[in-house]
Amino acid sequence: MTSVNVKLLYHYVLTNFFNLCLFPLTALLAGKASRLTTNDLYHFYSHLQHNFITVVLLFAFSGFGLVLYIVTRPKPVYLVDYSCYLPPPHLKVSVSKVMDIFYQIRKADTSRNVACDDPSSLDFLRKIQERSGLGDETYSPQGLINVPPQKTFAASREETEQVIIGALENLFENTKVNPREIGILVVNSSMFNPTPSLSAMVVNTFKLRSNIKSFSLGGMGCSAGVIAIDLAKDLLHVHKNTYALVVSTENITQGIYAGENRSMMVSNCLFRVGGAAILLSNKPGDRRRSKYKLAHTVRTHTGADDKSFRCVQQGDDESGKVGVCLSKDITVVAGTAVKKNIQTLGPLILPLSEKFLFFVTFIAKKLLNDKIKHYYGPDFKLAIDHFCIHAGGRAVIDVLEKSLGLSPMDVEPSRSTLHRSGNTSSSSIWYELAYIEAKGRMRKGNRAWQIALGSGFKCNSAVWVALCNVKASANSPWEHCIDKYPVKIDSDSSKSETHVQNGRS
């Protein structure tokens, strides 16, 4: 306890060092000013008259520098509001219901060479499902609930349209923004990218204007939500006085796997229906009603490394079935990508006290390489108040919790989202932010860090600053169940999850 207090004192002193020095300097100047006489002021005025040109040039350069700063600095990007899609109750699936869906999918596959109730495969799926961290109130698409399951293109389109339109209708209702005011549209969905595009579908459904800047991002994995935010931010810096709409979702019907490859079977147990719609603005007048201001976005791509590129890959199995293969190296690859992302983000957000400690240990390691094994690990909780770690699975959350030195409460939004909604891919970080708001924890000035991981391999971060004491929006996905969370989950099951995901049940 003493060491914690000493570190907090050190952090306070170093972070406020200049302010602490300013007080005695201000007192000294005030004391000097109080002793000035009329004669002293006259001499000072005479000095300025004799150096009139110098004074004018000084004011001119200062004015020019101020104007240049105001003109060239990036305009703030505000998050007016966002909406997370909550499917209707009849799409809710328990763990046993999910197992029944797996059985029906295998039964409907007439080209299989093994029995649909093969005990080893079903037992493997059951173990993953039970240890995945998902609860009994996640949601499945209608096409997979039907008997027999419908994995058709029409069923895939119906799922995605319901999610996107549902999220957008709620967002427009909450913000009272006319869809024709939207100037920028970015939609991301990795697995399902029809023609016309999903962004074109949004334009058609909500009758957006003809000069809208629209984009559809495909195949970019679970981290595509932050990529979409980053793209919208760049466009808002170019196009003034407008709104940007970002829609993040994933398609489960299209991505379901019906084969026997265990590395491809894992994703069936983790992914569930979900999506989010986010309204961004660069209008100065929207600051008052906005929830957050975007502080930073940092994108890291490790795809140049073959192991990183292939750790999450879609393809055919031995029998020609299409699925997404999760490599046993995914945890290591994710750790490396996160480390590189932090190396860029850290200097932007960490206080001076943490930068100084890292610098000292860096120099010490260079001089005493044999005695110091590791660099100093910065305490990100001194810079960040809330963490939204992509709910990709228990193992992913565990690794980041340990590597960032977080407490169980810090990762509570991620674990609760995984339990309540499953892995909703790129939209999971928004369900987590909604969880924090529903708990009433988001206060004015708080910083929230969204960390997204995805195929490629990518780690992307977005840091938001709360502009007020943020309350949950109407029709939040946590509206009727927030008091049930956090749910206590057996830690022993969590430890064995990594082995199950690697195909060693």
Side-chain angles (χ1 to χ4, degrees), residues 298-350:
V298 173
R299 294 167 53 181
T300 303
H301 202 311
T302 60
D305 175 70
D306 290 342
K307 184 188 293 186
S308 297
F309 177 71
R310 294 190 175 92
C311 74
V312 180
Q313 193 165 29
Q314 185 181 24
D316 298 326
D317 66 4
E318 298 79 6
S319 59
K321 302 290 188 301
V322 178
V324 177
C325 178
L326 302 181
S327 164
K328 64 181 180 180
D329 300 318
I330 187 170
T331 305
V332 177
V333 166
T336 302
V338 170
K339 182 179 178 181
K340 291 185 176 182
N341 188 267
I342 288 174
Q343 289 173 352
T344 304
L345 182 65
L348 299 176
I349 63 173
L350 285 172

Side-chain angles (χ1 to χ4, degrees), residues 185-238:
L185 172 64
V186 184
V187 181
N188 68 268
S189 172
S190 288
M191 303 295 290
F192 185 61
N193 292 281
T195 300
S197 67
L198 296 178
S199 61
M201 181 271 290
V202 173
V203 171
N204 175 260
T205 302
F206 294 94
K207 309 307 176 188
L208 304 186
R209 64 198 201 200
S210 60
N211 64 343
I212 190 168
K213 306 294 184 293
S214 64
F215 303 84
S216 286
L217 307 181
M220 303 194 77
C222 299
S223 66
V226 176
I227 296 174
I229 292 292
D230 186 59
L231 174 58
K233 176 199 73 174
D234 290 343
L235 291 168
L236 285 171
H237 286 163
V238 176

